[in-house]
Amino acid sequence: MIWLLFLALAALALAPLGLTLLRPPRAKGRHDADLALYRAQLAELEREREAGRLDEPAFAAARTEVQRRLLAAPTQEASPRAGRGAATLAAGLFLIPALGLGLYIWHGAPDVPAAPYVERAAAAARDDALLDQLRARLAMTPPQSEGARQGWLLLGNAERARGRLDAAVEAFARVLVIRPDPGIAAELVELHIQRGDTNAASGLLVEALRQAPADPRLRYLSGLLEARAGRPQNARSVWQALLADSPADAPWRALLERELQGLP
């Protein structure tokens, strides 16, 4: 049944294309326009005769004249481009659904059951309950303890994974208050950039670089902020300096080279 449904949806999506192929071609060029005009004149003469406004001799003479003009109209060869276009459309009627089906069989996972909304809502409710429990435990934990730091770090990662960037920023900021850490500062700077708060990211980055000026991630983020602020020359200087200080096997060298190539 599922494959029949897919085929029905594909047929519905391609119906306008099929109608285009079946629809008579519109007049194109002088020749086709003349033919359409002469045929319309013949049809009009037939209606005039049936209505009694033309007698038989007058109708025959007028029809002969229109037919003479029709035969005298210059012929025109069919456009090969139009023929290729129709052939392409006809091939698309078959190739598009076939390609889609092939890609689904290749990369899809038809055996994986769908996740109904009810199940996803229940999973989200369970996650909310767990995070509420974590917040409740943090409220009873000494605020400057290592346990509080680990708890806020766990909460920040969970909130970021769920796309709740404001809550993640608050959690990572609490981690930094307990103990400064260049890695956590870099996480928080990235979150500020994702939220579009470049001012907060810049202020935090300046303080973090003062504490750890050689940290490669912080230096990369410094160049990223310069690029986002419309200062590509400053970004290039920061990234080139970082690239020069990076070991040959540093995993971030490829990223830096791509970023440098993308600068205007």
Side-chain angles (χ1 to χ4, degrees):
M1 288 298 295
I2 188 66
W3 295 111
L4 292 178
L5 178 60
F6 286 159
L7 290 175
L9 291 175
L12 182 63
L14 294 173
L17 183 59
L19 292 176
T20 301
L21 290 175
L22 296 175
R23 183 185 304 138
R26 293 180 295 180
K28 296 180 180 179
R30 175 65 182 274
H31 176 72
D32 289 339
D34 289 343
L35 291 179
L37 176 61
Y38 297 148
R39 292 191 183 103
Q41 289 175 343
L42 287 173
E44 181 64 24
L45 290 175
E46 293 282 354
R47 288 192 294 270
E48 291 290 322
R49 185 184 64 171
E50 292 174 359
R53 289 187 288 269
L54 277 179
D55 56 18
E56 193 63 31
F59 168 77
R63 182 180 62 182
T64 301
E65 178 62 18
V66 171
Q67 289 175 343
R68 185 190 65 77
R69 293 177 182 176
L70 180 61
L71 292 174
T75 59
Q76 177 179 341
E77 296 183 357
S79 171
R81 181 177 299 177
R84 289 196 298 268
T88 301
L89 289 175
L93 285 174
F94 170 76
L95 292 177
I96 292 175
L99 179 61
L101 179 61
L103 289 174
Y104 178 73
I105 293 175
W106 183 22
H107 287 293
D111 296 331
V112 176
Y117 173 77
V118 174
E119 293 183 8
R120 288 184 278 116
R126 288 193 298 270
D127 291 342
D128 286 336
L130 289 174
L131 293 181
D132 288 341
Q133 293 178 12
L134 178 57
R135 291 189 182 92
R137 293 185 60 180
L138 285 170
M140 298 182 294
T141 303
Q144 297 298 319
S145 65
E146 182 61 25
R149 182 179 182 278
Q150 293 298 325
W152 286 114
L153 184 58
L154 178 61
L155 183 61
N157 285 321
E159 295 288 20
R160 179 174 55 186
R162 302 181 72 193
R164 298 166 62 171
L165 300 184
D166 291 342
V169 164
E170 179 185 359
F172 279 111
R174 289 179 178 268
V175 175
L176 277 183
V177 168
I178 296 173
R179 187 176 75 241
D181 184 304
I184 300 301
E187 298 281 357
L188 190 52
V189 169
E190 286 188 357
L191 284 170
H192 283 309
I193 293 175
Q194 292 177 25
R195 293 168 64 237
D197 192 350
T198 55
N199 290 330
S202 179
L204 179 62
L205 189 58
V206 168
E207 178 62 22
L209 283 171
R210 187 183 63 81
Q211 298 174 0
D215 186 87
R217 189 176 179 188
L218 293 175
R219 294 173 67 184
Y220 166 75
L221 291 172
S222 178
L224 182 61
L225 276 176
E226 292 294 331
R228 295 286 178 88
R231 296 186 289 268
Q233 294 300 328
N234 293 351
R236 181 175 288 105
S237 298
V238 172
W239 283 339
Q240 285 178 341
L242 175 57
L243 193 62
D245 294 340
S246 299
D249 57 349
W252 57 82
R253 289 187 66 92
L255 172 62
L256 281 174
E257 291 170 353
R258 288 196 302 270
E259 294 283 9
L260 285 168
Q261 291 175 0
L263 289 175

